[in-house]
């Protein structure tokens, strides 16, 4: 569905790593009827890929037990083991992405069409591989600080990270903007960051500001960037 036929603006979210704090994040997103794409590492689980962020131990979710959690949102590729793709051989890159995509399809029943680069790391050789894997958009970590649609979807630049000091300024600018061209507000981050910084109220406030507008389409990344159903 091409949202541009009925709307001038779209909001979408992108959250990485499939961690325990996604449970609270999804609860807030669902409360406000907002849609997100979750970039998951199917080769990691509660006991693998654990690390410490400040004083907080970060655990990934055991995905087979959390299929329902993500219902209504999109699942995308983030590398099976969350390796830095720029440090892998061509064969390893292929496996890291392909195996993640296959496992996502097995678990969630839908072939993924997008991804986020682990650590935001990519290069031209990696980008060249993506279309062969069925990946049609890939998110970087470089802020665009604008709302224009982008043509290079395999080097997609989000509007900003949720911790960006301009987050609320940009959100209001987006909501108040008047433009003939379609406008996209794309926010990304990690749910554990809210837990670690004890600022879940920041996300709640953001969702409250952005939600409930009849002139804004709320969709996953593939709905907003690829106009998929
Ligand atoms: Zn990640």
């Amino acid at each position: 569905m091409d949202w541009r036929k009925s709307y001038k603006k779209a909001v979408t979210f992108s959250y990485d790593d499939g961690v325990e704090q996604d449970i609270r994040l999804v609860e807030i997103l669902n409360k406000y009827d907002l849609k997100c794409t979750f970039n998951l590492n199917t080769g990691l689980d509660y006991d693998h890929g654990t690390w410490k962020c400040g004083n907080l131990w970060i655990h990934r979710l055991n995905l087979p037990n959390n299929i329902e959690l993500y219902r209504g949102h999109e699942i995308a590729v983030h590398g099976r083991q969350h390796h830095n793709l720029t440090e892998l051989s061509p064969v390893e890159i292929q496996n890291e992405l392909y195996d993640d995509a296959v496992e996502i399809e097995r678990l969630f029943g839908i072939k993924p069409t997008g991804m986020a680069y682990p650590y935001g790391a990519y290069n031209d050789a990696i980008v060249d591989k993506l279309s062969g894997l069925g990946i049609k958009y890939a998110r970087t970590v470089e802020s665009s600080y604008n709302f224009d649609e982008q043509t290079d979807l395999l080097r997609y630049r989000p509007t900003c990270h949720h911790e960006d000091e301009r987050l609320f300024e940009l959100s209001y600018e987006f909501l108040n903007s008047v433009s003939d061209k379609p406008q996209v507000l794309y926010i990304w981050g990690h749910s554990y960051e809210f837990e670690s910084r004890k600022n879940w109220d920041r996300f709640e406030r953001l969702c409250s500001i952005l939600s409930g507008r009849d002139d804004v389409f709320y969709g996953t990344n593939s709905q907003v960037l690829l106009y998929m159903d």
Side-chain angles (χ1 to χ4, degrees), residues 16-17 39 41 51 60 78 82 116-120 139 188 190 192:
D16 298 354
D17 300 352
N39 305 291
N41 312 111
W51 81 102
R60 285 179 168 79
H78 196 43
H82 203 278
Y117 295 106
Y119 309 103
R139 197 211 76 223
W188 79 282
H190 305 89
Y192 63 78

Side-chain angles (χ1 to χ4, degrees), residues 83-98 123 125-126 129 133:
H83 289 308
N84 182 331
L85 300 174
T86 63
E87 295 170 356
L88 302 183
S89 71
V91 171
E92 288 169 332
I93 294 168
Q94 171 85 19
N95 293 341
E96 174 77 353
L97 298 179
Y98 178 78
N123 56 36
I126 294 164
K129 277 191 170 301
L133 294 164

Side-chain angles (χ1 to χ4, degrees), residues 11-219:
V11 168
T12 192
F13 292 86
S14 173
Y15 276 77
D16 298 354
D17 300 352
V19 295
E20 280 185 298
Q21 290 74 25
D22 279 3
I23 294 171
R24 185 159 177 188
L25 191 92
V26 170
E27 200 178 290
I28 298 171
L29 288 166
N30 290 351
K31 175 177 155 189
Y32 289 98
D33 268 334
L34 297 169
K35 300 293 175 191
C36 182
T37 293
F38 289 93
N39 305 291
L40 304 183
N41 312 111
T42 54
L44 301 174
D45 59 20
Y46 189 86
D47 299 312
H48 299 90
T50 305
W51 81 102
K52 210 171 179 190
C53 175
N55 290 323
L56 180 71
W57 279 101
I58 313 294
H59 293 277
R60 285 179 168 79
L61 290 166
N62 289 325
L63 293 176
N65 303 334
N66 285 280
I67 305 301
E68 276 304 307
L69 171 71
Y70 293 110
R71 190 169 295 281
H73 301 278
E74 179 189 7
I75 305 301
V77 171
H78 196 43
R80 187 143 166 81
Q81 304 279 343
H82 203 278
H83 289 308
N84 182 331
L85 300 174
T86 63
E87 295 170 356
L88 302 183
S89 71
V91 171
E92 288 169 332
I93 294 168
Q94 171 85 19
N95 293 341
E96 174 77 353
L97 298 179
Y98 178 78
D99 292 354
D100 198 33
V102 166
E103 187 63 4
I104 285 171
E105 185 174 5
R106 190 184 74 79
L107 287 171
F108 294 92
I110 294 173
K111 202 172 159 63
T113 53
M115 68 171 281
Y117 295 106
Y119 309 103
Y122 64 98
N123 56 36
D124 291 345
I126 294 164
V127 171
D128 287 345
K129 277 191 170 301
L130 299 185
S131 48
L133 294 164
I135 301 292
K136 298 186 170 70
Y137 73 86
R139 197 211 76 223
T140 70
V141 297
E142 297 137 33
S143 305
S144 72
Y145 293 119
N146 71 50
F147 316 122
D148 294 335
E149 288 201 286
Q150 297 173 28
T151 50
D152 192 355
L153 294 182
L154 296 179
R155 296 177 183 81
Y156 191 85
R157 294 180 305 140
T159 307
C160 72
H161 184 275
H162 70 242
E163 277 297 330
D164 197 289
E165 58 179 18
R166 292 182 58 193
L167 177 73
F168 291 108
E169 169 202 326
L170 286 162
S171 299
Y172 285 119
E173 188 187 325
F174 168 80
L175 291 175
N176 296 329
S177 68
V178 180
S179 174
D180 290 338
K181 290 184 297 181
Q183 302 281 282
V184 174
L185 177 69
Y186 185 123
I187 307 292
W188 79 282
H190 305 89
S191 59
Y192 63 78
E193 291 166 320
F194 295 114
E195 188 72 24
S196 169
R197 292 169 181 260
K198 301 200 186 329
N199 65 352
W200 281 102
D201 57 317
R202 183 177 177 87
F203 192 62
E204 185 98 26
R205 185 179 156 212
L206 176 70
C207 292
S208 161
I209 289 168
L210 295 175
S211 62
R213 306 265 305 209
D214 55 17
D215 61 337
V216 176
F217 174 72
Y218 302 101

